[in-house]
Structures are given as C-alpha cells and as structure tokens.
Amino acid sequence: MSGVFLDFYVGCQKLCGAVASARRFWEGNNVFDNDVWLQQVREDIVDPGREIVDPHHHLWEIATLPYNLEQLLADTASGHNVVQTVFMECSASYFEDGPDHLRPVGETQFVAAAAERAASIDGAAQIAGIIGHADLRHKNLDDVLDAHLDAANGLFRGIRHAGAWDNDLDALLIKPDGPEGLYLDPAFQAGVARLGERRMTYDTWHYHHQNQDFRTLALAVPETKLVLDHFGTPLGVGRFAGKRDEIFLQWKDDVAAIAECPNVCAKLGGLAMPDNGFGWMGRALPPTSDEIVATHAAYYTHMIDCFGPDRCMFESNFPVDRLSVSYTVLWNALKKIAAGYDERSQQLMFSETARTVYQL
C-alpha cells in the first residue's frame, strides 16, 4: 500500500472508531465496506434517463482498502444512467521495480485491463478515459507519457500531478504529498505546458488556500487544458474548522478569478470528502440528497455562474466520497442542483463537457 493510501486507511479507521454510532457499520478492515450504513437512506432515482459521464473515480486492488471494477460497476449500475467514466490516478498498482519515473505506468496498465473487462459486460458503464500520474518536473517526461500511451489501449488522456500541500497534516484524513509552491516551480510549469503541446489535459487537486497559485499556473500555460478538481477543496478541519463563512467568501473571489482563465474547466464534486469538514462520515445516518443540496448548493451554483455549463462537469469522486454518501443519493443531489438550469446546460454538465475535455 502506498504511503498516501496507508495514511488514508489509518485515518478512516480512527475517525470511524471514534464515533460509537457509526462503528458498527465499519467493522473489519475495509472502510469502504459501508453498504449497511449507506443503505439506511434510500431514495427513488431522480431523472433516471439522464445520461451521465462520471469523469472522476478511482480503482485500486488493496486487500484492506479495495475498490475494484466490480464495486465500481455496482455503484454505476445502482439506478442512474451512467454510460461512461474517466479513471483518475490514485497511486494504485504501480510497478514495483524499474526506473522510479516509470513506475506509475503500472497503474495505467491495471486500469486498461479493467476497462477491457468492463467492455465485455453488457450494459456496464465503460471506462472511456484514463488520467495517469507523472512527475511533471522530470527531465524524461516524454518517455513517461509515451509509456502511458503504450499501456492504455487508446484510453490515456492526461496527467494529474497533485499540488495539494498544507502544513497541518495531523488534521487531514487524506495526507497530501505535494511540496509547497509546486505550481510556481518553472520546471513544473514547463511540464504542464508540455502536456498541452501533446494535446493532453492536466488535472489538479489542491486546497482552497492554494487557489491563487493555481491561477498563476493557469496564466503561465495558456495552451494547456487544466481541470480544477473538487472545487479547489475548501477545507473545514484543523485550523480551518469553524471558519466556513470566512473561507467561502475568499473562495468565491478566488474561483471567479480562476474562471477568467479560458483554459481552465471545473469538476463539480468531492465536497463530501471528510477533510471538507461537513461531518457526514461520522453520523449515525448518512445524508439525504436534500441535505446535501441545502449544504452544498451555493458552491455548485457559484462555480456554474463563474465557469458556465460548458466548462463544468459533475463528478462522483468515488469511492472517496462514498465515505459520506451513496452513489445513488449523490447523483440525486446533483440532479436536484441542476434542475434549475435548461436542458442544454444539464446535458453539458452531466456528460458533454466531460466528453469534450477528455476527448471521449
């Protein structure tokens, strides 16, 4: 198990074990084996015919933390009309030997094999794109990109080299491993620019206090398509606990400034991660879609107002958000948020923007 996911696993166990009302639903080693807890909230599917491309999910084969193809397909087949997905890198199944800079290609090979299996299952959602990992500062970056392309069976679309950094690691469930100031590093900016030259995308994950650095990066690489994941992760734990209103106001200004960069589009999801501080994971009952709408809608509507539907795509961020909410309830919430927009806008946010950005 990689360091990032070992920390994630231990953190989940500590959080769940500390909440007596939730502990009985999280017995054993697999923190994603929470069906009993999630199934306490059942809802009819909203707008069941709506076609969905889920542009952000993970897969990994870790004995104590599995989220494999079968579990993904169980989620995507749970009622909503999910037809395609995009895999997002998560340090899974790296090669165990060979040059360090090429080891992430093992993940692409692993996901390409999963996509091939999914393609053989009638009616299953298809993994239509793969976002892998590379150190964008590496002198042999092109060799890594070529290796990803060779391993992906035509599905490779881009790179996520996450920039998430914070100096209060003890407060975070998911420990970031990005260095401070990554987006300002000239070598990193050159690597992101190279992705654009090769018609590949760059996905980012960082925290709200890094949004201004991300805008600087976007301005430096105008020919590269950048994807802002998870709203720029407005934190709500550690030193940010109890400061939601203050953070929201600054976040709104920062997002509006980022949206002025035409090369940036936004993924709308990931707010159910425990580090956002909404507290869903530790409750006796998971949230309903109406609760999620009441709590999160202001973030979604601001992003859509700033970027426009043609630069926004709804995402599940599963299984990480599965710690807080079921796939069915999450997509119900997204559909309720989107209900106030016209049909074309909904088509864009649920499927067409993702297809355009990731060339699906």
Side-chain angles (χ1 to χ4, degrees):
M1 186 185 301
S2 72
V4 171
F5 284 96
L6 177 60
D7 288 340
F8 180 40
Y9 164 69
V10 171
C12 289
Q13 292 294 84
K14 287 181 178 178
L15 178 57
C16 295
V19 182
S21 60
R23 186 185 299 117
R24 66 183 181 276
F25 300 116
W26 297 79
E27 294 175 350
N29 291 324
N30 178 11
V31 295
F32 295 123
D33 186 15
N34 59 343
D35 285 343
V36 173
W37 182 69
L38 292 174
Q39 288 172 8
Q40 293 180 105
V41 173
R42 296 175 179 268
E43 298 182 352
D44 293 336
I45 302 297
V46 174
D47 192 8
R50 171 73 57 193
E51 191 171 81
I52 293 172
V53 174
D54 182 350
H56 195 110
H57 70 83
H58 308 296
L59 291 174
W60 49 72
E61 293 279 5
I62 300 172
T64 54
L65 193 72
Y67 190 73
N68 56 32
L69 177 65
E70 290 69 31
Q71 290 164 302
L72 170 68
L73 295 183
D75 280 331
T76 57
S78 59
H80 294 284
N81 184 25
V82 182
V83 295
Q84 291 177 305
T85 73
V86 176
F87 168 84
M88 182 57 53
E89 66 85 25
C90 56
S91 306
S93 297
Y94 280 16
F95 292 140
E96 295 183 358
D97 52 24
D100 286 347
H101 66 289
L102 292 175
R103 291 189 181 188
V105 177
E107 180 175 58
T108 294
Q109 180 176 287
F110 158 67
V111 178
E116 187 173 1
R117 296 202 311 275
S120 70
I121 301 172
D122 187 43
Q126 300 301 298
I127 301 174
I130 296 173
I131 304 299
H133 176 75
D135 186 339
L136 293 174
R137 302 163 297 183
H138 200 279
K139 64 180 181 179
N140 295 323
L141 175 60
D142 277 304
D143 292 344
V144 183
L145 299 178
D146 290 341
H148 278 300
L149 287 168
D150 289 343
N153 292 337
L155 299 179
F156 188 71
R157 296 294 182 268
I159 291 292
R160 183 171 75 167
H161 179 169
W165 173 88
D166 193 77
N167 60 9
D168 188 11
L169 295 182
D170 289 342
L172 297 171
L173 181 65
I174 305 172
K175 311 298 185 186
D177 58 3
E180 183 178 7
L182 180 66
Y183 296 149
L184 307 181
D185 183 336
F188 182 81
Q189 292 182 0
V192 177
R194 182 60 180 149
L195 294 179
E197 292 169 358
R198 298 193 58 165
R199 298 188 69 245
M200 296 176 181
T201 60
Y202 170 69
D203 267 75
T204 181
W205 170 53
H206 62 256
Y207 300 125
H208 69 273
H209 57 78
Q210 299 176 277
N211 274 331
Q212 294 177 19
D213 280 1
F214 176 70
R215 182 176 185 271
T216 299
L217 171 65
L219 291 170
V221 292
E223 301 305 316
T224 303
K225 177 65 71 176
L226 275 57
V227 184
L228 174 62
D229 294 349
H230 312 330
F231 295 90
T233 311
L235 290 171
V237 296
R239 70 184 187 278
F240 301 111
K243 299 180 179 179
R244 189 171 312 285
D245 291 345
E246 173 187 339
I247 291 169
F248 181 69
L249 291 175
Q250 182 63 55
W251 173 86
K252 287 178 67 177
D253 290 343
D254 291 342
V255 164
I258 291 170
E260 293 173 355
C261 303
N263 57 324
V264 181
C265 59
K267 279 185 188 163
L268 310 187
L271 283 180
M273 289 189 290
D275 288 337
N276 290 299
F278 291 102
W280 306 123
M281 182 180 173
R283 299 191 341 174
L285 293 175
T288 66
S289 58
D290 287 339
E291 287 181 278
I292 293 174
V293 171
T295 306
H296 293 171
Y299 293 89
Y300 284 86
T301 55
H302 182 67
M303 291 289 278
I304 297 167
D305 288 347
C306 289
F307 283 89
D310 61 334
R311 293 165 62 199
C312 288
M313 45 187 148
F314 292 123
E315 56 156 324
S316 73
N317 190 37
F318 260 49
V320 183
D321 281 31
R322 197 180 200 274
L323 295 169
S324 299
V325 62
S326 72
Y327 204 81
T328 298
V329 170
L330 175 62
W331 285 102
N332 272 355
L334 298 179
K335 289 176 177 179
K336 290 177 180 180
I337 290 169
Y341 298 88
D342 62 33
E343 175 61 22
R344 180 55 182 159
S345 295
Q346 292 189 54
Q347 289 175 351
L348 287 164
M349 293 186 289
F350 282 107
S351 60
E352 294 306 315
T353 298
R355 286 189 172 121
T356 299
V357 170
Y358 291 121
Q359 305 172 60
L360 304 182

